[in-house]
Amino acid sequence: MMNTPLVLHGLIDRAEKYFPKKKIISRTHSKIHRLTYKEVAERTRRLASSLETLGVKRGDRVGTLAWNHHRHLEAYFAIPCMGAVLHTINIRLSPQDLIYVINHAEDQVLLIDEDILPLIEAIKDQLTTVKKFVVMSDETSLPASTIESLYSYEQLIAAGDPDFSYPDDIGENDPLGMCYTSATTGKPKGVVYTHRGIVLHSMALGLADTTGISESDVCMPVVPMFHVNAWGTPFAATWFGTTQVLPGPAFTPKLLAELIQNEKVTITAGVPTIWLGLLKELEAGSYDMSSLRGILCGGSAAPKGMIRAFEEKHKIPFYHAYGMTETTPLALYSRLKSYQSDLTGEERLEVLAKQGIVVPGLDVKIVNENGEVDWDGETMGELLIRGPWIASEYYRDDRTSDSFKDGWLYTGDIATIDEEGNVKLVDRTKDVIKSGGEWISSVDLENVLMAHEAVFEAAVVAVPHPKWQERPVACVVLKEKYKDNVTKEELLDYLRPQFAKWWLPDDIVFLDEIPKTSVGKFLKMALRDQLRQHLSV
Ligand code: ADP
């Protein structure tokens, strides 16, 4: 067989050649843009040529601080196709972490959305490697700014060469991009993606047994393009000539519902908090969601109650997937097998709420102190993954040896695996509750609590206990209309028949809000501190 390199420019070349008329629908601060792949491909070449003029060389890191829109998509291709490295930066990181990741990656140029500019102005003097800043805006005139060396994105596009040729000697193992984990503890850790890894991952997103993204889809990533590359969907969708809807800055559940309805979105992807918000909106207003063939949910466990509401009430198929920054991210995908099609009700939901089976191309195993665990759906151990789109190290970081051993990525997630091979995440190693030497899954308790009609969100965390070492306490946010008429005893009575006695939370604390990480996950560390103060333990 030929050994042709798996490199990124083949993806956008294909979109331009075979799907020039297909559209990218992109919302920015001022309007909704409708561009064709032909236009986006040309603008991408112009951007690459202008970045070269700005001094970007092979291997240089170029950072982006931007929402989901067409300019960010152009940067996704221009930077790697010219041989530089796309560093998508999480705009919700703290200023200290922003400084850390930009300096650690040694970014040379930053592409920044206009509304994010103040964030960078505040820290610019501490950025040691950045030489040039580009503001992404609908305007060609530059905004007033304290940043020197500021360029207008649209001026760069206008000045760029539409016939720019990407170098043809980029190797498939060359770096394409990098992301840092949002690191709920310690400093963020960098992961470098190769061209080969991204191309193979894009192919995996097109498989019928995973997300099956195809030309006929209208794909709307709600997951930010700064969170594990919007789970790789912009790369795959471009390759397949899929219509893309990029929802832009500061979107609301109402705006998402309108975009789905008006643009006839068929597949959309995001974390559970996004879908909880959409669910609320669908209950309040009336929208036509009939174009949707699936909602893709990952990043943290999808509560069973939410899956039920989408599937049964709104007739929208709901797909639960699992991944990490280190896994590009698609690794597990939940789907009923063909011979399970007669499963209904709770049994069906039970399977769908698991994180699923490993996608083709990767291997997983679950190990504890006794070795690999049995496929009994009960024995807990740490989830290990390996494969061609799994990182093999952290970028210049001595924490590499904690997570990468014997050719496997140690995910830090505790899981079980059932007789069908479905993996179910029980907890992260740092969140699991150890009561009297046994483990209690916070995720299981949260799932059941969130299935209660009065509960909007629930997070269960460990609090120290003199006898049992740790005990679970549930933090519950009630839906507005139930705020004054549900008691903790009622919720405990509801949990009692569903769990062993020693799994029941020692207390239920009602909160107005659960603290979340920059990517919308429960921030359990903050919650534990809050509770310790509240309970004086
Ligand atoms: P961070 O590690 O900073 O949270 P990532 O976005 O890389 O950043 O998060 C990966 C982690 O998210 C996984 O290790 C796992 O704990 C969690 N996760 C991802 N998908 C799921 C899922 N479907 N169900 C439960 N947890 C998930």
Side-chain angles (χ1 to χ4, degrees):
M1 297 294 130
M2 294 181 189
N3 192 6
T4 57
L6 303 173
V7 289
L8 196 71
H9 72 78
L11 278 60
I12 189 145
D13 287 353
R14 183 173 189 270
E16 183 178 24
K17 189 166 172 190
Y18 295 101
F19 308 104
K21 294 181 268 195
K22 296 282 309 276
K23 292 264 165 58
I24 309 295
I25 297 147
S26 158
R27 178 178 162 269
T28 60
H29 279 288
S30 56
K31 63 175 193 173
I32 292 188
H33 302 250
R34 292 171 191 279
L35 291 96
T36 61
Y37 273 114
K38 183 173 184 323
E39 289 165 318
V40 166
E42 185 190 309
R43 286 168 55 88
T44 299
R45 284 191 293 273
R46 286 174 177 268
L47 175 61
S49 109
S50 284
L51 288 175
E52 194 174 78
T53 311
L54 287 188
V56 173
K57 295 186 293 301
R58 289 282 278 264
D60 279 355
R61 267 76 69 204
V62 177
T64 60
L65 292 126
W67 300 101
N68 295 10
H69 50 60
H70 64 288
R71 297 189 179 95
H72 206 175
L73 183 72
E74 289 154 9
Y76 258 49
F77 284 91
I79 297 164
C81 289
M82 68 187 289
V85 181
L86 166 77
H87 173 201
T88 50
I89 302 166
N90 182 345
I91 60 174
R92 300 197 185 109
L93 289 180
S94 66
Q96 290 71 24
D97 283 344
L98 276 177
I99 296 166
Y100 175 79
V101 301
I102 294 170
N103 288 345
H104 188 262
E106 298 176 296
D107 291 333
Q108 300 293 306
V109 174
L110 293 181
L111 308 185
I112 312 163
D113 271 2
E114 192 169 350
D115 63 326
I116 301 165
L117 212 50
L119 214 65
I120 296 302
E121 285 171 340
I123 58 170
K124 67 178 190 327
D125 295 336
Q126 293 164 76
L127 303 180
T128 52
T129 58
V130 183
K131 299 187 186 79
K132 306 222 158 107
F133 300 81
V134 177
V135 59
M136 297 212 240
S137 153
D138 288 346
E139 313 298 328
T140 43
S141 56
L142 282 175
S145 171
T146 55
I147 296 178
E148 290 157 25
S149 301
L150 188 63
Y151 296 79
S152 145
Y153 185 94
E154 286 303 325
Q155 280 183 22
L156 294 183
I157 294 290
D161 175 3
D163 299 317
F164 179 81
S165 320
Y166 300 123
D168 58 10
D169 59 344
I170 294 175
E172 63 174 15
N173 291 312
D174 288 353
L176 170 151
M178 62 192 304
C179 286
Y180 283 74
T181 62
S182 41
T184 37
T185 52
K187 287 280 170 216
K189 292 175 274 191
V191 171
V192 174
Y193 305 112
T194 60
H195 282 257
R196 180 172 191 268
I198 291 290
V199 171
L200 289 172
H201 180 263
S202 303
M203 207 173 263
L205 286 174
L207 296 176
D209 286 335
T210 70
T211 55
I213 294 176
S214 82
E215 185 274 330
S216 58
D217 274 317
V218 177
C219 177
M220 180 169 81
V222 180
V223 47
M225 290 171 80
F226 55 77
H227 183 204
V228 209
N229 302 321
W231 301 345
T233 55
F235 293 123
T238 300
W239 197 6
F240 307 144
T242 307
T243 303
Q244 298 184 56
V245 178
L246 303 172
F251 52 77
T252 56
K254 181 169 185 317
L255 185 110
L256 295 179
E258 285 169 357
L259 280 175
I260 294 170
Q261 172 177 277
N262 299 343
E263 305 302 339
K264 304 209 169 2
V265 170
T266 61
I267 183 146
T268 177
V271 294
T273 37
I274 296 288
W275 305 132
L276 279 174
L278 182 66
L279 207 50
K280 242 186 179 176
E281 184 61 30
L282 296 184
E283 270 152 31
S286 150
Y287 298 95
D288 177 5
M289 296 283 109
S290 60
S291 60
L292 272 181
R293 73 163 176 86
I295 288 182
L296 186 63
C297 181
S300 51
K304 232 199 293 183
M306 182 169 74
I307 306 181
R308 181 189 292 118
F310 275 112
E311 294 230 320
E312 292 174 10
K313 197 155 168 208
H314 298 285
K315 308 287 173 231
I316 303 170
F318 198 89
Y319 297 111
H320 190 193
Y322 160 94
M324 311 170 72
T325 306
E326 294 84 335
T327 65
T328 311
L330 182 65
L332 303 171
Y333 198 82
S334 183
R335 231 186 156 117
L336 295 179
K337 292 183 182 170
S338 51
Y339 55 82
Q340 293 176 319
S341 57
D342 56 344
L343 287 184
T344 53
E346 274 307 301
E347 274 187 327
R348 184 168 173 278
L349 277 175
E350 199 60 50
V351 180
L352 292 180
K354 293 186 178 182
Q355 279 67 21
I357 66 168
V358 65
V359 301
L362 304 180
D363 291 318
V364 293
K365 63 179 176 179
I366 294 174
V367 296
N368 64 18
E369 63 284 3
N370 304 318
E372 206 171 328
V373 305
D374 290 338
W375 285 29
D376 58 10
E378 282 182 7
T379 316
M380 298 179 192
E382 184 172 1
L383 175 66
L384 275 53
I385 311 184
R386 70 174 175 202
W389 57 90
I390 307 301
S392 57
E393 61 177 9
Y394 291 120
Y395 181 64
R396 298 187 182 161
D397 199 314
D398 51 21
R399 290 170 291 182
T400 286
S401 55
D402 301 335
S403 299
F404 301 93
K405 291 175 261 188
D406 334 313
W408 291 88
L409 162 68
Y410 282 64
T411 63
D413 285 316
I414 306 292
T416 61
I417 185 164
D418 67 17
E419 68 285 359
E420 297 290 347
N422 285 308
V423 174
K424 181 175 166 198
L425 277 235
V426 174
D427 250 315
R428 297 189 97 164
T429 0
K430 53 183 188 289
D431 292 334
V432 75
I433 303 160
K434 299 175 201 82
S435 174
E438 300 282 345
W439 286 355
I440 295 176
S441 161
S442 61
V443 175
D444 279 354
L445 286 165
E446 288 160 6
N447 236 321
V448 171
L449 275 169
M450 284 194 270
H452 189 284
E453 62 169 354
V455 176
F456 177 59
E457 280 182 328
V460 177
V461 292
V463 294
H465 189 280
K467 177 164 177 207
W468 301 111
Q469 184 189 2
E470 284 179 352
R471 290 292 301 150
V473 167
C475 303
V476 169
V477 180
L478 291 174
K479 289 181 187 158
E480 219 38 66
K481 63 177 172 185
Y482 293 97
K483 280 239 152 106
D484 297 318
N485 48 18
V486 173
T487 61
K488 49 173 125 165
E489 285 69 33
E490 267 175 83
L491 290 181
L492 285 170
D493 284 345
Y494 157 78
L495 290 178
R496 208 159 275 126
Q498 310 195 50
F499 291 101
K501 201 159 158 234
W502 61 277
W503 272 52
L504 291 179
D506 278 8
D507 198 0
I508 294 185
V509 179
F510 293 110
L511 300 178
D512 289 334
E513 195 182 3
I514 292 180
K516 307 228 171 55
T517 70
S518 59
V519 290
K521 303 181 191 196
F522 294 153
L523 191 51
K524 294 208 170 167
M525 219 174 34
L527 203 52
R528 277 191 290 264
D529 289 347
Q530 212 171 309
L531 271 186
R532 271 175 207 156
Q533 285 168 14
H534 179 83
L535 303 169
S536 316
V537 285

